[in-house]
Amino acid sequence: MSDINARSDAFVFFGATGDLAYKKIFPALHAMVKRGHLDVPVIGVAKAGWKLEQLQARVIVEKPFGHDVVSARELNRVLLGAFDEASIFRIDHYLGKRPVHHMQFFRFANAFLEPFWSRNHVESVQITMAEDFGVQGRGAFYDETGTVRDVVQNHLFQVLSNLAMEPPVRTDSESTRDEKVKVLKAIPAITPDNIVRGQFRGYRSEKGVAPGSTVETFVALRLEIDSWRWQGVPFYIRAGKCLPVTCTEVLLRLRQPPTMFHGFGLEPNYCRFRINPDVTIAIGANVIAPGTETRSQIAEMVGTQLPRADEMDAYERVLGDAMHGDATLFAREDYVEEAWRIVDPVLKGGTPVYEYEPGTWGPKEVDAKVSPPGGWHNPTVRLP
């Protein structure tokens, strides 16, 4: 729950000249202006010291984002300044005397999930975040970051904690964040035998990338959650660039009960959640294969929520929550420390980086070293 007394009096964001700001933050601000939700000053901070006029020019995002000159003009009315990081202390001058999707809802608002949501019925959990593009001209940035730092210890650990957390005792942000921290505290640090790093062929030719770079553009890893609910259930995370599709998906593979249908080639049932590019839930179950009475095949029951014209973008929602003082979707300091505790040993110790072909699901070493029971589920994106 948000606290009305914690409502923000300004929106200050770092990386104002970067790719994320241009593709996500500014479009979200445009949408907030159109809805009448942005009524506080906006200040951008970046390493490259820009003047206010340059930041205002950056606001004019391209037409494919669906924003127009009117929203840009309105947004520029609340842009107060642009600073480099060294002069951030001057922000108070510009502020004057101003006083200083949802997976969690789906998880706890639907009763049918709870009976099988534990080690008693779940065999393994897979989380895949695939991108079918490369570094897109951001080689210098990416070569100092890599996949683990870029998306695993932040975005995908958030997905993981939403999946594995216990129900919070209250719906306020701190109670929710308490439960997320408990999940990470129960995860031992990653060891070298539980991770495979990869690099797509051609990455070292990207502008800004070191010729002999060992930075990963792909990672697959296995985690254990040493809690009462999840002890003994392996969690697998896979993320990378230049993969076959752009998609973020979760697959819970269920344990197989005893059966009377021997020889049918039964496969484990599963529950699949797609987070991006659409929102989908699917249940995979065995059915009799067409034309035979002795073999089975997996069929899916699928429900998809298609985006509506008036639907909030994820970044618009998270920015709105921040300005209204609702911290539920944001990582707390102890959460961040636990996330880094889990990944730091392998980042500092170094592990081999294997080359993979663009358009494949990563290096072949993944299947031999970090593969779920029954193998990885490779998402597909069907055109409407």
Side-chain angles (χ1 to χ4, degrees), residues 292-337:
T292 176
E293 295 294 323
T294 59
R295 301 295 298 171
S296 71
Q297 67 180 34
I298 286 286
E300 280 195 343
M301 295 177 286
V302 182
T304 299
Q305 177 184 338
L306 299 176
R308 303 186 305 272
D310 61 344
E311 189 170 335
M312 280 192 183
D313 174 80
Y315 272 80
E316 182 185 355
R317 181 189 172 199
V318 79
L319 294 181
D321 285 354
M323 287 188 281
H324 284 84
D326 187 344
T328 304
L329 299 178
F330 296 87
R332 206 167 58 191
E333 183 178 0
D334 53 348
Y335 178 98
V336 174
E337 289 174 350

Side-chain angles (χ1 to χ4, degrees), residues 127-242:
I127 304 172
T128 295
M129 179 179 176
E131 295 173 325
D132 63 4
F133 50 87
V135 295
Q136 296 184 320
R138 300 163 64 228
F141 161 78
Y142 206 84
D143 213 39
E144 295 180 354
T145 308
T147 305
V148 175
R149 293 184 179 92
D150 188 35
V151 297
V152 172
Q153 62 83 28
N154 41 35
H155 303 305
L156 296 183
F157 276 11
Q158 284 281 357
V159 175
L160 170 67
S161 60
N162 273 299
L163 287 169
M165 66 185 280
E166 296 296 327
V169 294
R170 293 190 299 268
T171 57
D172 63 280
S173 63
E174 290 309 298
S175 296
T176 299
R177 299 201 292 176
D178 286 344
E179 298 303 329
K180 291 182 179 181
V181 172
K182 289 178 185 178
V183 173
L184 296 194
K185 284 184 174 180
I187 300 176
I190 301 169
T191 57
D193 57 335
N194 283 319
I195 186 171
V196 172
R197 297 191 303 140
Q199 186 183 96
F200 68 80
R201 184 174 54 82
Y203 170 73
R204 295 177 183 176
S205 301
E206 296 276 352
K207 183 179 179 181
V209 173
S213 174
T214 58
V215 170
E216 78 279 356
T217 61
F218 171 96
V219 70
L221 55 90
R222 179 173 49 236
L223 299 169
E224 299 283 343
I225 302 177
D226 191 15
S227 69
W228 182 262
R229 183 184 290 265
W230 295 112
Q231 191 174 70
V233 178
F235 282 71
Y236 295 85
I237 290 178
R238 176 177 60 167
K241 293 187 174 294
C242 288

